[in-house]
């Protein structure tokens, strides 16, 4: 169905735009009409390219150096068949004998919203990535923690809490607020409380009965800590603030452009660092020059 919709949209987009283009060029109405056949042919050609693709080894220049606690990766896009290529060697020597200077820095400050509370499937995905736990193992662990009174009912399909749970959440925060900087006002957020998103049971949270972590098995501890940390991340008082940065570094008249983030305030990542956007490249705080 998705493939069909994609073809339909592309058919329309190309058809209407080519009609406009041809009409403007010819100064009279020219209807290009449907372009489904050439679109299918384009898809077919691309499929053949992927099917018949033969990987070949190539070489590029790359630098990975640490600056202010972050690795800056500089990649020269030119590809070479052999590492002994004279041009590659000359460029390598030139880069290594010259300084790499920050010549441009464009930043935009952005507040990143906290992650949502865990549903059971989200918890299963999380623990699978972190510890290779199977979904059935995670369900058993969360069921065990629930029966011991340490977490809410685990068999839930939602990331939200119900409106009438605010006092309960307040009591949990009061129990653990000595060590964590929680935001009591944030408890009113529609991102957290939404009755329309709940079918039977609310999102996973710790309870106001705190376990002695040493009494839990290693797997139970990891499971509980994941739920506890996510709760902490959702209710933390400090915003997660980053500068989205485009950084240009020049060496030997060649410009390397890097896109990424510099962290201004940790916010929720202080409690749940695994919840932040992994696709973003962390950049150090540097200045032009």
């Amino acid at each position: 169905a998705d493939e069909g919709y994609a073809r339909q949209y592309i058919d329309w987009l190309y058809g209407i735009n080519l009609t406009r283009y041809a009409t403007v060029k010819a100064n009279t109405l020219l209807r290009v009409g449907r372009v489904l056949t050439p679109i299918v042919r384009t898809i077919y050609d691309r499929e053949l390219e992927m099917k018949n693709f033969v990987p070949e080894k190539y070489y590029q220049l790359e630098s990975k150096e640490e600056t202010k606690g972050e690795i800056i990766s500089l990649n020269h896009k030119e590809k070479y068949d052999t590492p002994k290529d004279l041009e590659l060697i000359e460029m390598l020597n030139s880069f290594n004998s010259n300084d790499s200077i920050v010549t441009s820095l464009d930043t935009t400050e952005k507040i990143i919203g906290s992650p949502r509370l865990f549903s059971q499937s989200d918890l299963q995905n999380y623990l699978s990535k972190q510890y290779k736990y199977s979904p059935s193992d995670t369900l058993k662990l969360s069921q065990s923690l629930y029966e011991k009174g340490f977490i809410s009912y685990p068999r839930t399909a939602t990331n939200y809490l119900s409106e009438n749970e605010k006092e309960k959440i307040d009591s949990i925060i009061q129990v653990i607020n000595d060590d964590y900087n929680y935001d009591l006002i944030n408890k009113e957020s529609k991102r957290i409380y939404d009755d329309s998103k709940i079918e039977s049971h609310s999102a996973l949270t710790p309870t106001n009965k705190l376990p002695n972590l040493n009494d839990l098995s290693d797997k139970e501890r990891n499971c509980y800590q994941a739920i506890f940390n996510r709760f902490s991340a959702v209710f933390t008082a400090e915003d997660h603030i980053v500068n989205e940065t485009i950084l240009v570094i020049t060496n030997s008249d060649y410009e390397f452009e890097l896109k990424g983030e510099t962290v201004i305030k940790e916010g929720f990542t202080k409690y749940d660092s695994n919840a932040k956007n992994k696709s973003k490249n962390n950049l150090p705080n540097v200045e032009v020059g």
Side-chain angles (χ1 to χ4, degrees):
D2 288 342
E3 290 174 7
Y5 280 124
R7 287 194 297 271
Q8 189 176 2
Y9 280 121
I10 294 170
D11 177 24
W12 186 86
L13 280 169
Y14 272 90
I16 193 69
N17 284 300
L18 286 173
T19 294
R20 289 169 175 164
Y21 179 79
T23 297
V24 169
K25 284 293 186 182
N27 203 30
T28 186
L29 178 60
L30 288 179
R31 293 185 176 89
V32 172
R34 302 198 66 187
V35 292
L36 189 56
T37 301
I39 289 301
V40 172
R41 174 58 191 256
T42 301
I43 294 170
Y44 170 74
D45 288 344
R46 181 61 178 150
E47 178 71 17
L48 284 185
E49 284 180 20
M50 292 187 287
K51 184 177 180 181
N52 298 326
F53 175 74
V54 179
E56 295 178 352
K57 183 178 286 188
Y58 62 88
Y59 298 87
Q60 289 180 291
L61 291 177
E62 180 181 59
S63 168
K64 288 188 175 180
E65 289 295 324
E66 185 174 321
T67 299
K68 295 188 175 181
E70 298 288 353
I71 298 294
I72 293 185
S73 182
L74 304 180
N75 297 284
H76 190 271
K77 292 182 172 60
E78 196 70 37
K79 298 178 181 179
Y80 298 90
D81 295 329
T82 169
K84 296 181 181 179
D85 189 292
L86 185 60
E87 182 183 337
L88 180 144
I89 294 172
E90 288 178 352
M91 199 174 297
L92 173 71
N93 292 333
S94 175
F95 285 148
N96 282 336
S97 60
N98 289 291
D99 292 331
S100 295
I101 306 296
V102 178
T103 52
S104 174
L105 190 62
D106 184 21
T107 62
T108 304
E109 188 174 290
K110 188 175 181 181
I111 297 176
I112 308 296
S114 62
R116 299 199 188 279
L117 294 166
F118 281 130
S119 65
Q120 178 61 219
S121 61
D122 289 337
L123 179 65
Q124 288 169 328
N125 289 335
Y126 182 91
L127 293 181
S128 174
K129 289 177 182 176
Q130 294 298 315
Y131 304 107
K132 309 300 182 188
Y133 296 169
S134 70
S136 59
D137 283 343
T138 297
L139 185 58
K140 290 175 184 175
L141 291 169
S142 55
Q143 183 67 30
S144 172
L145 291 169
Y146 167 69
E147 291 173 1
K148 293 174 181 178
F150 299 138
I151 66 169
S152 60
Y153 187 73
R155 297 171 187 266
T156 175
T158 186
N159 309 98
Y160 294 85
L161 300 171
S162 67
E163 294 281 344
N164 61 15
E165 291 182 282
K166 291 179 180 178
E167 286 189 13
K168 183 185 80 171
I169 296 302
D170 186 56
S171 71
I172 297 171
I173 290 175
Q174 296 296 343
V175 168
I176 55 181
N177 200 32
D178 290 342
D179 300 320
Y180 292 86
N181 185 19
Y182 285 102
D183 182 6
L184 300 180
I185 299 172
N186 194 35
K187 293 196 296 84
E188 310 301 318
S189 171
K190 197 71 176 175
R191 291 185 70 250
I192 301 172
Y193 297 94
D194 191 341
D195 289 341
S196 67
K197 302 288 179 64
I198 299 173
E199 294 179 8
S200 54
H201 301 284
S202 298
L204 280 162
T205 69
T207 65
N208 52 19
K209 180 182 178 182
L210 303 181
N212 181 340
L213 295 178
N214 293 327
D215 293 339
L216 301 178
S217 68
D218 289 344
K219 287 188 174 182
E220 282 181 326
R221 190 182 309 118
N222 290 337
C223 183
Y224 178 80
Q225 203 68 61
I227 297 168
F228 186 94
N229 289 350
R230 179 55 57 91
F231 181 90
S232 304
V234 169
F235 289 104
T236 184
E238 183 182 272
D239 288 325
H240 178 49
I241 302 176
V242 300
N243 274 338
E244 291 195 335
T245 303
I246 300 176
L247 179 66
V248 177
I249 294 176
T250 303
N251 183 317
S252 307
D253 296 326
Y254 185 86
E255 292 186 343
F256 299 90
E257 183 178 282
L258 304 174
K259 295 181 181 180
E261 292 180 347
T262 55
V263 177
I264 308 303
K265 284 187 178 180
E266 287 183 290
F268 69 82
T269 62
K270 187 186 300 181
Y271 304 115
D272 193 356
S273 60
N274 294 309
K276 64 183 178 181
N277 191 342
K278 292 291 188 180
S279 65
K280 293 291 186 180
N281 180 31
N282 284 340
L283 299 175
N285 282 306
V286 293
E287 297 176 4
V288 172

